[in-house]
Each structure stands twice: as C-alpha cells, then as structure tokens.
Amino acid sequence: MICYLYDAPTYLFFASDVPALLYYSHVPATVLALLVGFFVYFNARHLLLNKLLFIIAICFSLWTLTSLVSWTNINADFILFTWPFFAILSSLIAILSIYFIYVFLYKKDAPLLMKSAFTLLLVPVILFAPTNLSVSGFNLTNCDALGFEGTPFKIYYTSLGVIAMVWILALLINAYKAAEKSFRKQILLMGTGIEFFLFSFLTMTFIGTYLVNIGILEDSRLEFYGLFGMLVFMVFIGALVVRFKTFSIGMIASKALMIALVVLVASQFTFSENSTSAILTSITLLLTAVAGYNLIKSVRKEIKQRKELEVVTVELDKANVRLKELDKLKSEFVSIASHQLRSPLTSIRGYASLLLEGSYGKITKKMTEPLERIEDSSKLMALAIEDYLNVSRIESGNMKYNKADFNLKEEVDRVCDDIRGDTIRSGLSLIFRSDLKSRGVINADLGKTVQILRNLINNSLKYTEKGSIKVLVRDDVTNKKIFVDIIDTGIGMSEKTQETIFEKFERADNANTVSVQGTGLGLFVALKMAKAMGGDITSFSKGDGKGSRFTLELPLAM
Ligand code: ADP
C-alpha cells in the first residue's frame, strides 16, 4: 500500500520532498556518534565503558536510520515494519545510558541485581513492540503511523527515558559527594553531557509526537532538534577523552579525535540552510572549540611536565649513583671497622677473664668489680659488633646460608638451657614447652636459627623485670609450618612501637628505661634471616606494660 499523497515511491533515505533539516539533524549526529564510539572502542577494546559507549552509538545510529527510512518512504507496510524499532532502540539507549554511567562512576561492572532490573524494564518493550499494542494502523493520507500508536505502550517506553534521567542523576549525585576534585570535574562533564542528550533525544520526540497528536504541530519535525543533543554529548565525551583520559586513550589518538570533531562540526556549516541550523552549528562548534582549546592547554602542560620530569629523572639518576657509592663505602667502612675492632676486643675480653680467674696472681676484692665490668662491657660490645657485621653482610648480599636438616625442638630446648642461668640471676623463670604433631625437623641454617632464637629470648630477658618467659614450640602439619612463641610478662609494646621495631636502629621509647644496652639491630637482622630461610617473625602485645609475644615461623621439612 502506497500513500495517497505521493505518486512516485521513494525508498530508503532519499526523497525530494522531505525537510532539509531531516538530513541535517540525522546525518552529522550519526556520523559523529559512530566516529567517537568506534574510536573509543578500538583504542581500548578491553574496557567495558568503551564497549558500552560504542553500543549506545550503534543503537543511536540504528534509530536515526529507522527515522530516515520512515520519513522518506511512502510504502505503508515498510514504514509499519520499521515503527517498533523506535520504541526498542530508544528504550535500549535509555537503559544502556544508566549502565554506562554506572560503569563510568564505579569503574566496575554493574551488580547482577541492577542488570536484572535493566532486563525487566526492557522486556515489556521488546515483547509488545511487534504487536498491535505498539502500533495498530497507518494513515495513508499523510503517510504516517503516528495516530495509531498504542498509548500505554508509548507512555511506558517514553517513561523509561525519564527513569533513566532520574536514575542517572541519583547515581551522579551519590558518586559526586564521595569523589575527589579531579573526578568531580569528570562527573560534571559526563553528567551534563548524558543528561542533555537523554533530555533532548527522548523528551523532544515525546513532546513532538504529543503536539502532533493534539493538533498543534503538523508533523513531528520538532524531534529533529533533539538529535543535536548527541552532538553535544559527543563533544563532552571528546573533552573527557582528551582532558581526563576517561577512556584510557593515548594523547596522539585523542588529538586526532578532537581535530576530527572540530572539522566535522565546522563542516556542518556547508549543510546549514536556515538560521536555526546555523545557530545550532555555531553552538556545537563553540563547544567543540572550547574542548579543543582545553586539549591544546593540556598538551602543552603535558609537554612541560614531561620536560621537567626528564630533568628530575637525570638528577635523580645521578643522586642514586652517588647514594649507591656512599652506601657501598659505608658498608665497607662498617665491615672493616668491625673486623678491626673484633680482634682487640677479643684480647680485652680474654685478658679480663684471665685476670678474674687469677691467672696473673691473686686479685683483690676491690679489683674484681671493675674487671667484671670490663668483661661484661666487652661482651656487649662484641655482640653489637656482630650486629653491625650482620647488617653489613645482609645489605651487601654476602650473608651465606648453609641449610641442613635438624630438630628445631631440641635446639630451642638447648638455647633455653643455655640462657636459663641468666634468667634465674635476673629473678625470672624460663619455661620451655612443646606441643608438636610432627617430629619438628626443619631444613635451615642451624647457626642462624640459633642466633634468631637467642636474640628473641634475650630480648624477653632484657625487657622483662619480673615474671616469666615462656617458650613454646608448636606446629601446623597441614600447612607444613613450625612456630616458636616467646611469651614474656615484660614492658610490652604499644601499637606504634610494633610498627617499627623490625626496622634498622629502631628502639621503643620505653626500651631505655629497662635496658640501656641495645643497638636496635637485633630484630632487623633476625627478621631478614628468618625470611631468607622461608620463614617470618611476628610480634604481638596488648600494650605498654602488658607483656609481649614474638613468634618465629619456619617451614617444616617433611
Ligand atoms: P635492641 O638491641 O634494642 O634490643 P632489637 O632489634 O632486638 O634491638 O629490638 C628492637 C626494639 O624492640 C627494642 O629496642 C624494644 O623496644 C623492642 N622489643 C624487642 N623485644 C621486646 C620484648 N620482648 N618486649 C618489649 N619490647 C621488645
């Protein structure tokens, strides 16, 4: 069936008697949407955000295609066939816009519940679009299906546009409140762009049809103007691409996009036939120019920053080389100095103990105390030197580990026996317990393991004035791990202290009140050694004065 008023049938897009504004509003908006959508998608295909924008652009271009076809055709069956696509495509654009904004704001896929809601909202449109509820007839006189649209159906799908606008607004406001400054700017740009697009695209169509239905307007030409909303949206998207890298697209590609945008919008002047289109083109061109100006500004800024960065990098490189040299010198110095100190110290210790033993004749009671002090101090000094040497070995990568199988429980027991004398002298008790499901054999460096144990138990001794020290060996056979807990009733540690004690030279404020001897290196060295053997050391305390627990963890050999 062919419309009465028109004698020669025209098919698809071209007809001599349709308003020029039809092409002027449809073609550039579609080209621009496809250009930006395609560009964004192909520059970073893996991003869901980019995919969604591309799909929206495709739906939009299908919509404009449907619109062009129905405006230029006089074959009633053909127009009726295309009619339901308006409803389906505009609903899809509305719902996809919500999805798009969600992904933009939260940088993740929408939750399943939200996606189910999207589907539920779309199902009625898709189900009823091909039925009489959507469109029931055709006016062959004015060649239009407009008056035959099912009202509830039309109200339903146009209200999806309103739902989308409100939903998006709520999402935007919510995210805006929590966002930081730079993202807020992006939210404003994106929000204005999409809301403007949805409003002009969906609402104009609705108002246009309504005014035609009640007889105020002759045809729904008003909806043409709505399509310019897409141009504005795409310009905003362009600005987001360039200024904020929203779609993760590189600088050069962004520049190309902006130039294409400006050229495309400017070329619309060649189409413009009347003052309205000239005004619209001017507005879009102005917006594009603003975005382009921003691009130039940001390119300049980026070049400047890159240059500054290069200078800083060169300086940093130099400083780094110098620091490495200094560090090497420092390690060498520590190592040499410590070695040099070690041998005279050994003889000081040796002679002091020989003197104390009376190897050089009987010593008076008065002389005993100073000699004991010499012996004690030189012992502490030897320990400190050993710490420095260990640090220098660790830092120069010269610490060697000789691994072998041995029974950890037996070693812990032995270390406890060695230290028990000192604990008793300090008025403390030292309790050793084991709770093992395995034999307790590990594959590690025996000397280093003993050194870690001594260090941890000696620390408990140093930082406990009264009470006890409990040493517990336990294992976790499933996870192939063995643990040694050293639990004391000493000065404890605040949370702040616990954060730093494993660092070099770190000692707690309360450490000096109890025991002044200490380099703050013991735990640093112990942790490095434990980690090198596949283990760890952790600390726990309820706070100052509430005791501490240190746990050495090592892998079980099974
Ligand atoms: P230091 O030579 O000072 O003992 P460490 O590295 O062995 O050095 O220990 C670092 C700091 O950790 C100590 O100065 C002390 O503040 C804290 N600390 C270590 N063990 C204990 C413990 N058992 N109870 C309370 N504080 C401890």
Side-chain angles (χ1 to χ4, degrees):
M1 256 187 287
I2 306 292
C3 298
Y4 305 143
L5 278 182
Y6 308 87
D7 35 40
T10 53
Y11 290 107
L12 293 174
F13 321 119
F14 299 105
S16 50
D17 42 11
V18 291
L21 186 64
L22 175 78
Y23 298 111
Y24 178 65
S25 60
H26 282 61
V27 180
T30 312
V31 173
L32 197 66
L34 282 178
L35 173 88
V36 176
F38 187 81
F39 169 85
V40 162
Y41 174 63
F42 278 94
N43 270 293
R45 262 182 237 211
H46 57 287
L47 295 180
L48 177 61
L49 187 70
N50 301 20
K51 280 184 203 154
L52 286 172
L53 186 68
F54 190 34
I55 299 174
I56 292 176
I58 292 174
C59 287
F60 178 79
S61 51
L62 288 175
W63 190 97
T64 53
L65 184 74
T66 314
S67 174
L68 278 176
V69 166
S70 66
W71 270 94
T72 52
N73 265 270
I74 56 165
N75 188 322
D77 297 329
F78 195 58
I79 301 179
L80 272 182
F81 168 75
T82 58
W83 210 259
F85 287 106
F86 285 121
I88 297 175
L89 290 166
S90 57
S91 309
L92 268 175
I93 292 174
I95 298 296
L96 282 169
S97 299
I98 312 176
Y99 191 6
F100 172 74
I101 288 297
Y102 183 89
V103 176
F104 161 71
L105 291 174
Y106 296 100
K107 309 214 165 15
K108 61 174 188 199
D109 198 356
L112 197 65
L113 199 70
M114 192 180 269
K115 284 200 240 175
S116 317
F118 291 163
T119 319
L120 274 181
L121 286 171
L122 282 173
V123 164
V125 182
I126 294 165
L127 276 186
F128 298 119
T131 68
N132 274 353
L133 290 175
S134 158
V135 57
S136 55
F138 194 77
N139 184 339
L140 283 174
T141 314
N142 64 8
C143 205
D144 214 336
L146 261 182
F148 296 90
E149 287 189 300
T151 321
F153 181 77
K154 178 117 193 183
I155 290 180
Y156 177 75
Y157 87 76
T158 35
S159 63
L160 283 187
V162 182
I163 291 177
M165 284 179 66
V166 176
W167 194 332
I168 288 175
L169 191 67
L171 284 173
L172 289 167
I173 293 175
N174 218 3
Y176 186 84
K177 281 194 217 144
E180 26 136 338
K181 212 171 140 209
S182 119
F183 194 50
R184 281 189 167 183
K185 282 190 197 159
Q186 295 187 45
I187 295 180
L188 275 181
L189 265 177
M190 181 67 97
T192 320
I194 194 130
E195 290 283 10
F196 184 78
F197 162 63
L198 287 179
F199 175 76
S200 65
F201 174 57
L202 299 171
T203 319
M204 285 292 201
T205 319
F206 185 69
I207 297 175
T209 321
Y210 179 72
L211 291 180
V212 172
N213 278 346
I214 60 167
I216 292 187
L217 287 183
E218 242 174 61
D219 56 34
S220 44
R221 215 175 275 198
L222 185 70
E223 70 181 47
F224 294 163
Y225 293 103
L227 298 184
F228 288 100
M230 187 49 133
L231 290 177
V232 176
F233 181 36
M234 287 303 122
V235 170
F236 276 65
I237 291 278
L240 280 162
V241 166
V242 171
R243 190 85 182 80
F244 297 101
K245 319 254 175 324
T246 306
F247 296 87
S248 307
I249 296 165
M251 203 64 210
I252 296 179
S254 309
K255 273 193 256 173
L257 176 73
M258 273 328 283
I259 291 164
L261 273 177
V262 175
V263 171
L264 203 75
V265 176
S267 69
Q268 273 184 269
F269 277 119
T270 55
F271 281 91
S272 39
E273 288 184 340
N274 56 28
S275 54
T276 327
S277 18
I279 291 169
L280 283 171
T281 309
S282 309
I283 296 173
T284 4
L285 188 63
L286 188 78
L287 284 169
T288 324
V290 171
Y293 172 71
N294 264 329
L295 161 78
I296 295 165
K297 237 171 65 178
S298 66
V299 172
R300 269 209 207 129
K301 203 168 138 200
E302 194 161 303
I303 292 175
K304 201 174 140 220
Q305 278 173 346
R306 207 175 285 170
K307 277 193 183 141
E308 281 170 2
L309 207 72
E310 272 168 20
V311 174
V312 175
T313 316
V314 171
E315 276 171 14
L316 266 179
D317 272 348
K318 277 191 207 154
N320 208 8
V321 171
R322 179 90 191 107
L323 269 179
K324 274 191 187 147
E325 275 170 14
L326 278 175
D327 202 50
K328 206 169 145 234
L329 281 175
K330 184 205 72 188
S331 297
E332 278 170 8
F333 170 76
V334 171
S335 166
I336 293 169
S338 314
H339 279 293
Q340 303 277 359
L341 289 173
R342 214 155 47 161
S343 30
L345 198 61
T346 318
S347 66
I348 295 174
R349 272 176 79 183
Y351 283 112
S353 62
L354 285 174
L355 279 168
L356 273 170
E357 280 165 15
S359 307
Y360 296 97
K362 207 169 160 13
I363 51 164
T364 61
K365 226 178 170 189
K366 219 174 159 192
M367 286 158 76
T368 318
E369 207 201 321
L371 278 172
E372 272 173 359
R373 285 216 185 154
I374 293 176
E375 197 190 24
D376 285 348
S377 301
S378 51
K379 209 162 151 190
L380 285 173
M381 201 168 163
L383 284 176
I385 288 174
E386 204 45 47
D387 276 347
Y388 289 127
L389 275 172
N390 278 327
V391 173
S392 116
R393 279 185 205 120
I394 286 171
E395 291 189 338
S396 60
N398 282 335
M399 191 70 114
K400 299 270 176 300
Y401 294 85
N402 299 316
K403 289 194 176 181
D405 279 357
F406 62 89
N407 189 305
L408 183 67
K409 181 191 141 193
E410 285 168 12
E411 292 309 324
V412 177
D413 198 3
R414 198 165 295 152
V415 172
C416 285
D417 281 346
D418 288 349
I419 297 180
R420 191 160 283 113
D422 290 342
T423 42
I424 292 169
R425 270 193 288 286
S426 308
L428 302 169
S429 61
L430 176 65
I431 305 153
F432 167 73
R433 294 240 186 296
S434 85
D435 177 13
L436 286 179
K437 286 166 200 76
S438 68
R439 286 186 303 130
V441 174
I442 63 169
N443 182 271
D445 185 309
L446 175 62
K448 306 259 181 333
T449 311
V450 168
Q451 194 179 330
I452 297 172
L453 290 168
R454 279 184 176 280
N455 188 304
L456 295 179
I457 303 175
N458 271 325
N459 270 354
S460 281
L461 181 60
K462 276 191 331 198
Y463 300 112
T464 307
E465 280 178 311
K466 57 177 193 294
S468 63
I469 301 167
K470 278 186 207 132
V471 180
L472 172 69
V473 185
R474 59 191 167 87
D475 57 1
D476 174 356
V477 183
T478 332
N479 293 312
K480 293 193 179 165
K481 281 183 179 154
I482 187 158
F483 306 91
V484 185
D485 298 313
I486 294 117
I487 306 157
D488 63 44
T489 53
I491 61 169
M493 292 170 290
S494 65
E495 248 174 60
K496 205 172 138 249
T497 303
Q498 290 181 60
E499 282 167 18
T500 56
I501 49 171
F502 289 99
E503 285 161 27
K504 242 186 330 185
F505 301 112
E506 284 297 338
R507 305 194 72 208
D509 297 335
N510 65 357
N512 286 340
T513 58
V514 185
S515 162
V516 274
Q517 303 109 6
T519 53
L521 292 173
L523 286 179
F524 170 80
V525 171
L527 182 66
K528 291 272 181 204
M529 288 177 171
K531 289 217 158 144
M533 296 190 289
D536 199 3
I537 302 176
T538 48
S539 68
F540 173 78
S541 172
K542 282 186 186 158
D544 280 339
K546 297 192 174 147
S548 311
R549 183 182 72 213
F550 281 81
T551 304
L552 164 68
E553 174 194 319
L554 286 168
L556 263 180
M558 285 202 298

